[in-house]
Every structure is written in C-alpha cells, then in structure tokens.
C-alpha cells in the first residue's frame, strides 16, 4: 500500500507539471482516489489535476464514494499546512467498506494545524527587548505559542508576595498583585515531587502538578476560581481515618498551606528570553525573543483549535477502517485549565471536575451521593481523538506541539494500531488508550515501534502512554525517553486496598507490555515508574498483564523500574533488564483483600536481570524466581538488549527530531543544602527537553538578598547525572541567605534560568549522621547487592552520599546520585551492586552516611556468596 501511495504521488506531480503520458499511467482504481492541496479549490472535483483545498471537502467527497469501494480509497494530502479552527469530524459514514480502508495519506511534510500565525511584530516602547503583535482575528485565548517550531514559555516567576491560605483563596502580604495589568489572567502552579533539602512539595501528591487561576485580586485579598479551588482543597476525608481521603489518592487539600510554587501568565512576569503573554482584553501578544530569533522572518504560531481530528463513533455505529499515514498533527491547545474548572489533578492527567466534584466524583459507595464507578475522574482530552473506533490506524505520523494529550483512542477502541509514530512536545499525556469510566473497554490495540520523548511540557504529571481498562492490548518495541514522570501507566482502581477493601473490579485482561526501551524517565516528579500498573490486571496469571523483555534504566525521581501499585494482581514481570532505579527494580508488595487469607496480590517476578537482588521465594503469592544480579550490561545476553526498543526498520525515527534545534528547557525544582560556612550544595531536576541537542553542562549561580550574583559553578551533565549535586564555594561568609538558579547548556546555547531556590544561609556542620539501618547483603555467585535504609538521625546537615567498604580490601565505593537525596526524607531503602566477588566466600560490607560534617558511623552486614 505504501508503494501504491508513492506511485500516486508521483503521477500527481507529473500531471501537475503537464508531463505527456502521465494520465495514461494511472490505473482505474487510482482515478477514484481524492487529492487535496493547500492551493486547491473546494469547487474542484478532487482529481490529481484539480485538487480540493480543505479536509472537510475531501471528507464529503470520500463519504459519497465509500459505498462503492472496490479497493482502498486514498485521500492524498499534498505537502503543506492545513489549518483548522474546528476539528475534522468523522463518523460511521466516513468508514471504509468491504474490508477496504479510507486512507488519509500525507505527502512530504503534511501538517494538520490548529494554529494561527502571529505577524506584525513591533518593539514595545519602554520595555527593552520586548515585542508585541496584534492577536490573530478570532484568537480569544491560548496556552501555547511556538516560534519556528520551538515552544515558548508562558511568562512565569516566583510569587511576589507571601500568601496565607483562606477558604476562598489567600490573603497576601501586600497588594502587589492587585496592581497588575490583568491579575485574573494569572495562574498559580503547585509542583509536587518529594520534599527534599529545601525543595517544597506544594501539590496534591508527589506525582501531581495542579493549577488554578486567580479570580480576583482586590487589595490583599486574592480569590481563586471555582470549582478549581474547592476541588483542590475540599476533597472528602474519612471521618475516622485522619488525613485519608475517600478517593484514597493523595491529600485532601493543597499541601504546605497551599503555597504556590510559582505564578504564570502575567505581563509583569515577562523577564526572560523565550517568554510570552497574551493580553486577551487588548488582543495583543507579547514576546521576548531568544538569541538569534528574528520576528520579521519567524513563523510564530498561536495554538487555537482544541481538537484537530474527532472520530465520533458510537456503540451502535462505530467509525471504522480509517488510516492516517504520514501526517503531522500540531498547534492545538486545551483551554479548560484556563477556565474556572482549572486543573485539579488526581493522577496521570485525570482531574476532579464540576461544582461538587470534590464531594461526589468517583467516590461511589464510600460517600452518600458518590458517583460510580470508583475513581472515574475526568480524563485529559486528546487533540486527536477517536471513540468507538474499529480498525483505526495511525502510522508514520507525528504528534508534536500540542496542548492536551496527543492522541486519545478512547472508549470502545478496537483492533486499532499506532505504529512508527513520533510523540513529542505535548503538554500532557502522549497517547491515551481506553478509559476508566465503566464504558466499553478498548481492546486489541497495538502500539508498536513508536518514539515518545520530551514530554509532558506543561501538565507534568502526564505520562507517555496511558492505558486504562483494556483487553488484549500490546505495547511493544517502543522507545520512551526523557519524560517528566512515568513512561507507561496501566490500569486503575486499586486504591481501596489502603483501607483493607479489594481493588475495584474491572474488565482488564490479556494485556502485554514487551520489548520496550525506556530510559531517562521521572525527570521531574516522583512516585512512579518506567512501567506503572494499578489495580486488577486479569483473573489469573494466565490472563493477567505480562511485562516482558523490556529494558528500563536511569530513573531520576523516587520510584521503581516496574511499579506494581495498589491492588495490582496477576502481573507477570519476566525477562526484563532493570537498572539504575532510585528505590526498587520491581515493587511493591500489597495485601490481597479479596479474601481474609492474608495473602499478597498474586505476582510473578521471574528471570529478570536486575540490581535489586531479592532472593527466590514465595511471599504469600508474590513469587520471585530465577532473577539474576547484574553488575553491568555485559552480564545480559546481547539479544535481550538488542531486541528492546524500535525494530531495525524503524530506527530512522530516532533521527527524526521535530522542530528547529534550540537551547534546552530550564531545569526545575532547584534546592540547596549546607556545604560549609561559605558553600552550598545544589540539586535540581535536569532538563528533560534538550532542544534536539544533548545537554552538555549545567551552571548553578548563587545570589545574595539584593539579587547580586556571588557565586557560580558549572559541571558536565554526565557528572551531574552521577552525583546529583553541584557545589558552589567561596560565598560571602556573612552575606546570606542565598538563592540559586540553574541553567542548562547544549550546542545551541543556554536555557533560561530555573526558578530560584528558596533562600538558605550556609552554616558549618559539626554533628555527624547516625549509622544507616537494616543493612543486608543479597548474594549471587560472583556479585552481591548491599541494601540499607537511611539513618534515623542525620546530624545537622543533609546526606549527600554513602561510603561502602568491602572486606576484600578494594577501595571504598562512594555512592552518590539522586536516589541518595530522594530516599532520605521518606526513609526508602537503597541498594548498590558489588561485583568481582569469589563464589562461596564470606564477605563483610559496611555502609556509612556522608554529610558536610563528615562520614558517620558504619552499619555492618556479612554474607557468603553462592557457590
């Protein structure tokens, strides 16, 4: 079929050039195809010589022909941009018939765009570097602006006042916000993640980043929009279980007294190159160009349409047998978070919505008036969406520069494929499959050989692939890298086990996640995994979820390579390669409350290569068998490593980076700790959006209370990945407190600085930490895993590393990294592999914590390696 499409394109080109004999080369089936061009005419007949201009006209012409289909009907889209203000709506009438498909085939670079070009840029008087242009006609609001295919940052900054939370918002320490140009445009963002060093956790659980807009600022009274505010602060808690929400997912209100991490979308915040603001009342766009950008020549796109393709099948009339090939879907937005509904996140882009959502939504039997099914919250929409779609195919496509989820194959999706496609620069989830609302589950969906990277860009609790209640789905041979939170999330509804109830019954079974390559994930938020599963996965190990042959490594945030969360039953985790996790390679154990036997959720963890080193055994149904401690990739069979990720025919996707090369996105969540009387340790979340060129260096800069820079230190990106720490020395001994910002650099330049850390005054540390606790040595024949938990007392400084010594006389092993930092406040376990051991030999290993005060006392463990 792909060869035929190429032939059709060639014939079309020859006809357009007037080449003699071209028409006679077209066979009769080809003459029934349709042709579209941005330069076409909707009064034309849609032939190769006379293409139509719009997708809507092509759809209508195709609709008239499907009843007589004797072969696939191809709608050829010539290279160019097809602009949408509303989605192309497809229903059962637009489906293929007789076993044939309607194929929407791109040619060259074919872009289906929801954007409006912004032109007429002029310098703003009195604001050096700032430019403005009239908003395009009809553009009333947007959350995204792109300059030459590079996402710009909505103007943001630190909240300029202290806030005291009230029932309806805040009381501010001054009336600063009331004097802003449009305070009701501004949005508070509450970034979560682990609360480590002096980095706050401000959201609704470590995995979330909710957002609510200001409704009004009058004097020092700040009123927040409703229902976002109540949905984020009034979540129902069990009266007899303090702090436990009835939803059992996260806290009942914004943590840290509702303190906002930062504020976004105000004219007054425009202070960094690459930032923009839309003044909706004045109908003007403001932008601070980055170095090298020329607004007289740049293609500046404001996202306008909220949906590009809308496949509206129904349970009785599915939309079916349609393919989208060689298309790029770009420049669509999602405006709900800007409205009073806001973005009151629960998990993976799901939100609580509606006037009384906090009181009833998805709470089912647990509260009077609770709506069922349990945990059925509101899913983030897709900018391309299909419901009740059968045999819908997306291949060789690109989903990029999008403001919601990229693609949603929703309720009733069946026997459909997503193959050879790129997902990147998407505000939320990359790909969504099915739902959790009790409707017809998705089934038979094949997601293979896709590259998902550099997302989510705005709603950072989003995931690359979100799979709800589904059956017979396969997610295989994908590469997922550089993502802010979990890579793949499957299932739902297991949370009732937190109060001793069984997981919610659901229709999921026979799903497979195999042979994927996942790395550099959880680069911003915490408590997730490379492959995360929640709830029942089937009725037995035979039809339960299979996680096999995946290679998953280099996690940043606190979590696991493979995370079997609440109520996860009948999952098989077999033959995977799992390393460089911050907490566990495979976890965690949960009690199975479907009966009173006290067993664990049935799970099989078998024949994996990992670093965790847990011994074989049957822990009340949690079976661990045949797993091998790996000291490096040389221990793993090469065919296992080679089979994970994109298959050879799709390797070219890795070189198909989308958008112009640019400087990286700014790092996030900067925090500091004492490194001595005149020095600070700095940590931060790295840039997971590298601008198409790898990050090579990070630079941390310290500032005194007046804003004067007083210190700077740069480190190679590879070193920071290993240590998670930058040290700034030589600070004024009496000049604190200091704040720190961090920039990332690549071959294209340096990012904007991160938001500043909270202020901290360095101090001399003198009290050593206590000894680590619960040391264990898990042995193989030639290697062992030493495991421990952090000290209960850390002295007067934060732990920056551990020192491990082995009784065979080798040099001490200095353990550093992000897991050292994120496991400390939550007292999670740590582990490291020790290689080069002799079989059947006794070894003693000691572990000591290291802080700015020095190295503390050791914890000791002894074991004998296997013969």
């Amino acid at each position: 079929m792909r060869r035929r499409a190429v032939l059709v394109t060639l014939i079309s080109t020859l006809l357009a050039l007037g080449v003699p004999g071209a028409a006679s080369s077209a066979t009769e089936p080809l003459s029934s195809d349709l042709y579209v061009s941005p330069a076409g005419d909707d009064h034309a007949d849609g032939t190769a010589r006379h293409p139509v201009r719009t997708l809507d006209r092509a759809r209508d012409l195709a609709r008239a022909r499907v009843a007589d289909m004797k072969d696939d009907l191809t709608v050829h889209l010539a290279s160019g941009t097809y602009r949408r203000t509303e989605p192309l709506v497809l229903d059962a009438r637009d489906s293929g018939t007789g076993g044939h498909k309607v194929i929407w085939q791109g040619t060259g670079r074919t872009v289906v765009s929801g954007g409006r070009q912004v032109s007429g840029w002029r310098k703003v008087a009195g604001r050096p570097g700032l430019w403005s242009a009239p908003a395009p006609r009809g553009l009333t609001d947007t959350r995204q602006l792109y300059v030459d295919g590079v996402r710009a940052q909505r103007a943001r900054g630190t909240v300029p006042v202290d806030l005291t939370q009230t029932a309806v918002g805040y009381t501010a320490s001054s009336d600063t916000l009331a004097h802003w140009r449009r305070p009701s445009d501004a949005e508070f963002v509450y970034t979560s993640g682990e609360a480590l060093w002096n980095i706050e956790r401000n959201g609704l659980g470590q995995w979330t980043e909710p957002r609510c807009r200001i409704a009004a600022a009058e004097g020092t009274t700040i009123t927040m929009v409703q229902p976002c505010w109540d949905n984020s602060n009034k979540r129902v808690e069990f009266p007899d279980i303090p702090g436990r929400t009835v939803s059992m997912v996260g806290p009942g209100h914004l943590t840290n007294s509702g303190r906002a991490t930062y504020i976004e979308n105000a004219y007054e915040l425009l202070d960094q190159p690459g930032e923009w603001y839309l003044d909706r009342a004045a109908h003007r766009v403001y932008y601070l160009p980055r170095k090298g950008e020329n607004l007289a020549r740049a293609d500046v796109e404001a996202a306008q349409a909220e949906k590009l393709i809308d496949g509206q099948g129904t349970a009785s009339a599915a939309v079916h047998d349609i393919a989208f090939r060689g298309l790029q879907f770009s420049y669509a937005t999602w405006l709900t978070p800007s409205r009073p509904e806001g973005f009151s996140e629960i998990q993976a882009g799901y939100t609580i919505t509606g006037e009384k959502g906090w009181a009833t939504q998805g709470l089912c039997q647990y509260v009077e008036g609770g709506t069922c099914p349990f945990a059925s919250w509101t899913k983030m929409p897709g900018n391309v969406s299909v419901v009740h779609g059968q045999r819908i195919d997306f291949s060789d496509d690109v989903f990029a520069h999008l403001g919601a989820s990229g693609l949603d194959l929703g309720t009733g999706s069946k026997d459909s494929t997503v193959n050879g496609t790129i997902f990147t620069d998407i505000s939320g989830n990359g790909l969504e499959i099915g739902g959790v609302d009790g409707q017809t589950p998705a089934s038979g969906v094949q997601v293979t050989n896709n590259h998902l990277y550099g997302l989510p860009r705005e709603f950072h609790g989003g995931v690359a692939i979100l799979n709800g209640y589904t059956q017979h789905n396969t997610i295989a041979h994908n590469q997922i890298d550089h993502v802010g939170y979990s890579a793949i999330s499957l299932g739902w509804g297991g949370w009732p086990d937190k109060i001793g109830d069984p997981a919610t019954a659901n229709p999921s079974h026979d799903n497979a996640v195999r042979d994927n390559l996942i790395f550099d994930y959880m680069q911003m938020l915490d408590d997730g995994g490379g492959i995360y599963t929640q709830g029942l996965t089937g009725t037995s190990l035979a039809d339960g979820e299979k996680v096999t042959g995946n290679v998953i490594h280099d996690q940043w945030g606190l979590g696991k390579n493979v995370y079997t969360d609440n109520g996860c039953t009948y999952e098989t985790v077999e033959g995977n390669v799992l390393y460089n996790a911050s907490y566990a390679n495979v976890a965690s154990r949960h009690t199975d409350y479907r009966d009173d036997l006290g067993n664990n959720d049935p799970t099989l963890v078998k024949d994996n290569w990992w670093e965790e080193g847990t011994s074989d055994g049957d822990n009340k149904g949690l079976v661990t068998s045949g797993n091998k401690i790996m000291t490096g990739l040389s221990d793993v069979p090469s065919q296992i490593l080679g089979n994970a990720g994109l298959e050879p025919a799709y390797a070219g996707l890795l070189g198909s980076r989308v958008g112009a090369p640019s400087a990286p996105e700014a790092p996030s969540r900067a925090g500091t700790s004492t490194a001595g009387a005149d020095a600070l340790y700095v940590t931060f979340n790295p840039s997971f959006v590298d601008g198409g060129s790898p990050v090579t260096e990070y630079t941390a800069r310290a500032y005194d209370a007046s804003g004067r820079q007083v210190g700077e230190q740069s480190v190679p990106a590879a070193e920071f990945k290993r240590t998670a720490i930058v040290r700034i020395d030589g600070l004024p001994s009496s000049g604190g407190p200091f704040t720190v910002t961090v920039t990332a650099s690549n071959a294209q330049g340096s990012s904007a600085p991160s938001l500043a850390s909270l202020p901290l005054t360095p101090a001399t540390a003198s009290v050593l930490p206590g000894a680590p606790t619960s040391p264990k040595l898990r042995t193989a024949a030639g290697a062992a895993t030493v495991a421990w938990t952090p000290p209960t007392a850390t002295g007067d400084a934060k732990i920056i590393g551990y020192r491990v010594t082995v009784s065979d006389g080798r040099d001490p092993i200095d353990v550093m990294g992000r897991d050292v930092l994120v496991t400390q406040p939550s007292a999670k376990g740590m582990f490291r592999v020790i290689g080069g051991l002799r079989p059947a030999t006794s070894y003693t290993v000691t572990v000591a914590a290291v802080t700015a005060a020095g190295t503390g006392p050791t914890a000791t463990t002894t074991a004998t390696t296997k013969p």
Side-chain angles (χ1 to χ4, degrees), residues 109-160:
R109 186 173 183 269
T110 304
V111 181
V112 180
S113 170
R116 297 291 301 276
Q117 286 186 309
V118 184
S119 58
W121 292 94
R122 297 288 185 271
K123 292 182 178 180
V124 176
R127 287 291 305 269
L130 185 63
W131 292 64
S132 77
R137 186 182 300 274
L139 181 73
T140 58
D141 198 5
T142 186
R143 295 180 65 89
Q144 292 85 30
L145 188 79
Y146 304 85
V147 180
D148 288 333
V150 177
R151 182 181 291 235
Q153 170 63 55
R154 284 209 309 175
R156 67 173 184 174
T158 303
V159 181

Side-chain angles (χ1 to χ4, degrees), residues 12 15 31 33-36 44-52 61 65:
S12 176
L15 286 169
S31 65
D33 287 351
L34 292 168
Y35 296 82
V36 194
D45 57 9
T47 61
R49 283 183 176 275
H50 304 289
V52 297
L61 290 175
R65 300 185 186 188

